[in-house]
């Protein structure tokens, strides 16, 4: 057996972890840039905890609270300009995947002042200043991945920044997710599940990454039941967060696969939330597999007898009617076939017609 396993983020999980570990901030410098979305961090307690911790260890900070969903390179440039102007030593990303991913990209831009939105791709491997991540959704696992997914308006798509920015610390306190509305809870949970699936059924999967996948499916056996019953207790919040962290640790090793690549145009052109964009394609993607060994193992852990049972769960949780034409499906399919990086993560041969079929059956025949 041969594998590489790398997960350099120090994870602190539990109630009150930010204040309990406030001294860790001292090792990162004397001034922080806090990166958030527009509203939620100020309401769910996460921003207050970070401010209190920084105040108690005498670390100065500036706030950049303009990160939109699916952060654009324009926003990242704006945030990094503020960081550079204030000479910050590190970046704290608080929020869902969008602010955490933006924080990672901003940390790269601050460390490399010659980098901007027009030359970031093709710039080779870059360092970043340290990043701390505080998740407030249970979905992306960005707090434990090296990935930063950004919207590239020039290319009309979302892309991985292509740099390895593992947060130095992840502070995970599920209380910040207690008041997540139903739709964001479902959409982000579906995202976590798709990470587990795409990481598990991945060319790059290993003995080690599969441990996270299988543990994540075990957690989802419980989480699906609670999601279907809309029973969002603190215990559910904890387990779905753990599943999201497992998914993150897994895709940090494997990367994602077809549904993520195919979902990006659905988000960019149709405004579909990231989790739904992957989720709506997942069942048809699973049906394309010729070798079902691992799919059957996954279903067994989930306590499901066949793919039809998983499809019923997805149909109950996801209800999407997209206005999409066959021409658009062909165009998106062409760009996936051109995305060799994503295709090579899929362990079986895949043709243009297969991609068109997944899109069509998922989006036109519902
Ligand atoms: P998000 O885009 O970060 O946030 C979605 C919405 O949820 C925003 O309106 C946000 O409000 C709100 N929100 C966040 N936390 C909340 C809370 N505790 N209570 C109430 N509302 C809250 O959503 P996400 O699904 O977590 O992240 C999606 C992004 O992550 C996509 O860009 C995706 O490509 C990326 N992603 C990254 C990775 C990775 O490995 N790096 C993996 C998967 C996905 P505010 O704007 O006010 O905060
Ligand atoms: Zn995702």
């Amino acid at each position: 057996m041969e594998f590489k396993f790398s997960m350099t983020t120090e994870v602190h999980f539990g109630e009150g972890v930010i204040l309990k570990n406030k001294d860790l901030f001292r090792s990162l410098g004397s001034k922080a840039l806090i990166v958030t979305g527009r509203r939620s961090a100020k309401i769910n307690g996460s921003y207050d905890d970070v401010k209190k911790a920084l105040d108690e260890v005498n670390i100065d900070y500036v706030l950049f609270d303009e990160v939109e969903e699916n952060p654009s390179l324009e926003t990242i440039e704006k945030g990094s300009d503020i960081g550079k102007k204030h000479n910050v030593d590190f970046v704290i990303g608080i929020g869902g995947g969008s602010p955490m991913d933006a924080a990672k990209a901003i940390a790269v831009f601050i460390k490399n002042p010659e980098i901007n939105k027009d030359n970031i791709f093709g710039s080779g491997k870059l360092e970043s200043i340290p990043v701390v991540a505080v998740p407030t959704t249970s979905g992306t696992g960005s707090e434990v991945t090296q990935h930063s997914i950004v919207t590239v308006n020039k290319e009309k798509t979302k892309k991985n920044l292509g740099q390895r920015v593992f947060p130095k610390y992840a502070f995970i306190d599920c209380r910040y997710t207690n008041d997540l509305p139903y739709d964001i809870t479902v959409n982000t949970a579906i995202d976590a599940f798709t990470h587990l699936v795409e990481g598990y059924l991945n060319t790059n999967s290993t003995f080690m990454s599969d441990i996270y996948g299988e543990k994540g499916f075990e957690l989802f056996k419980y989480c699906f039941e609670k999601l279907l019953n809309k029973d969002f207790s603190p215990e559910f919040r904890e387990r779905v967060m753990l599943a999201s962290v497992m998914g993150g640790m897994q895709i940090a090793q494997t990367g994602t696969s077809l549904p993520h690549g195919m979902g990006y145009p659905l988000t960019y052109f149709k405004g579909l939330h990231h989790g739904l964009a992957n989720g709506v394609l997942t069942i048809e993607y699973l049906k394309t597999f010729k070798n079902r060994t691992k799919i059957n193992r996954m279903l067994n852990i989930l306590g499901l007898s066949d793919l039809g049972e998983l499809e019923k769960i997805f149909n109950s949780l996801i209800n999407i009617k997209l206005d999409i034409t066959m021409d658009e499906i062909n165009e998106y399919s062409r760009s996936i076939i051109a995305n060799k990086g994503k295709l090579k993560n899929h362990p079986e041969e895949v043709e243009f017609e297969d991609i068109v079929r997944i899109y069509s059956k998922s989006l036109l025949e519902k």
Side-chain angles (χ1 to χ4, degrees), residues 237-300:
R237 296 289 183 196
E238 182 166 285
R239 291 210 201 173
V240 74
M241 182 63 92
L242 283 170
S244 163
V245 173
M246 297 291 110
M249 289 181 176
Q250 188 190 26
I251 60 165
Q253 316 309 315
T254 61
T256 54
S257 181
L258 296 184
H260 266 69
M262 294 173 66
Y264 290 155
L266 301 182
T267 299
Y268 190 88
F269 294 107
K270 303 290 173 186
L272 204 55
H273 177 272
H274 172 71
L276 292 183
N278 316 317
V280 73
L281 304 167
T282 295
I283 299 294
E284 294 303 328
Y285 147 80
L286 288 172
K287 287 182 188 168
T288 66
F289 276 82
K290 293 183 187 72
N291 181 346
R292 298 273 176 105
T293 314
K294 281 185 101 176
I295 296 182
N296 289 336
R297 204 179 307 148
M298 169 186 86
L299 291 169
N300 189 33

